Amino acid sequence: MIKWGKFLFRKLGTANSSTDTVQDSDLLEQFEVFLADRMTKFYPDVRDAFAALLDADFSESIKGLHIEVFLDDPAFSFQLFSQGKNDVWADQPEPVRELNETIDRLWPIMTDDELDQYTIWEDDPKWGRQVALEQPLDKLNVPRIVFPWFKKIVSETRGDFSHPITASVHDITSPEEL
């Protein structure tokens, strides 16, 4: 009887996890399509902002530029930093600050309500509705999606800008040269 009970619970657990895996996979795929559509929509404005930035006359005081991608607050936002004297990364000179202000006006690329559509929720008897500990978007390969987008923008707008331009996902990846 105990063996039969263990078999039944194992079978039920397997059935639920495969359904959850399918649901997670579906949500992840749907989100990737959604994000790609949004990136396509925002591409011209971001490209134009980079074109203006890279066309600016930078003094020799900067050594490079770095794009930091943030996954929340707001979702998939980014900020540009310049590497100055003593290798300090800052929101300056003025063309860098202007690009960041432009991006702040354009974002969010998605609202919290839109992001919630791709979130798994749980009902806890004590705490009520809350975000599940594991999310389908935890498996999202952000660099695979975002870095090519930035590489395309940089390749189209770089012109004579000779300093290195790197990008990373905040707290997840190391800087990668674009």
Side-chain angles (χ1 to χ4, degrees):
M1 176 89 165
I2 293 175
K3 287 183 183 178
W4 178 81
K6 285 182 180 178
F7 172 78
L8 179 63
F9 285 119
R10 192 175 310 124
K11 198 74 163 155
L12 286 172
T14 304
N16 286 340
S17 68
S18 67
T19 302
D20 290 346
T21 302
V22 169
Q23 179 188 10
D24 289 359
S25 179
D26 288 347
L27 278 176
L28 183 60
E29 288 176 26
Q30 291 169 13
F31 182 77
E32 286 177 346
V33 169
F34 175 78
L35 182 57
D37 288 345
R38 284 299 166 89
M39 290 170 66
T40 299
K41 177 182 174 185
F42 280 80
Y43 184 84
D45 292 329
V46 174
R47 182 196 58 223
D48 293 348
F50 267 91
L53 167 84
L54 297 176
D55 194 37
D57 185 26
F58 284 96
S59 67
E60 292 301 316
S61 65
I62 73 159
K63 297 179 183 178
L65 298 174
H66 178 71
I67 302 164
E68 190 74 17
V69 179
F70 299 94
L71 300 181
D72 53 13
D73 295 325
F76 297 95
S77 64
F78 67 91
Q79 187 169 8
L80 183 72
F81 298 95
S82 67
Q83 182 181 17
K85 293 181 180 178
N86 300 324
D87 293 331
V88 174
W89 292 95
D91 182 21
Q92 52 186 309
E94 189 59 31
V96 171
R97 209 172 4 264
E98 287 175 11
L99 180 119
N100 288 331
E101 289 171 2
T102 299
I103 298 308
D104 287 345
R105 283 191 301 273
L106 292 174
W107 252 244
I109 194 169
M110 66 188 69
T111 65
D112 288 337
D113 289 340
E114 290 168 330
L115 194 55
D116 284 351
Q117 295 174 21
Y118 305 97
T119 303
I120 303 294
W121 296 89
E122 293 179 342
D123 288 318
D124 183 272
K126 183 176 180 181
W127 304 105
R129 186 175 187 237
Q130 59 187 11
V131 174
L133 187 58
E134 290 186 33
Q135 293 292 325
L137 300 188
D138 294 342
K139 297 178 181 105
L140 185 66
N141 186 340
V142 177
R144 180 184 59 82
I145 296 169
V146 176
F147 288 0
W149 188 70
F150 280 121
K151 283 180 182 181
K152 184 176 179 189
I153 288 171
V154 168
S155 71
E156 289 181 8
T157 59
R158 182 174 214 125
D160 295 333
F161 188 80
S162 61
H163 301 292
I165 301 173
T166 58
S168 65
V169 177
H170 186 70
D171 289 341
I172 296 177
T173 66
S174 296
E176 180 177 312
E177 187 151 355
L178 303 174

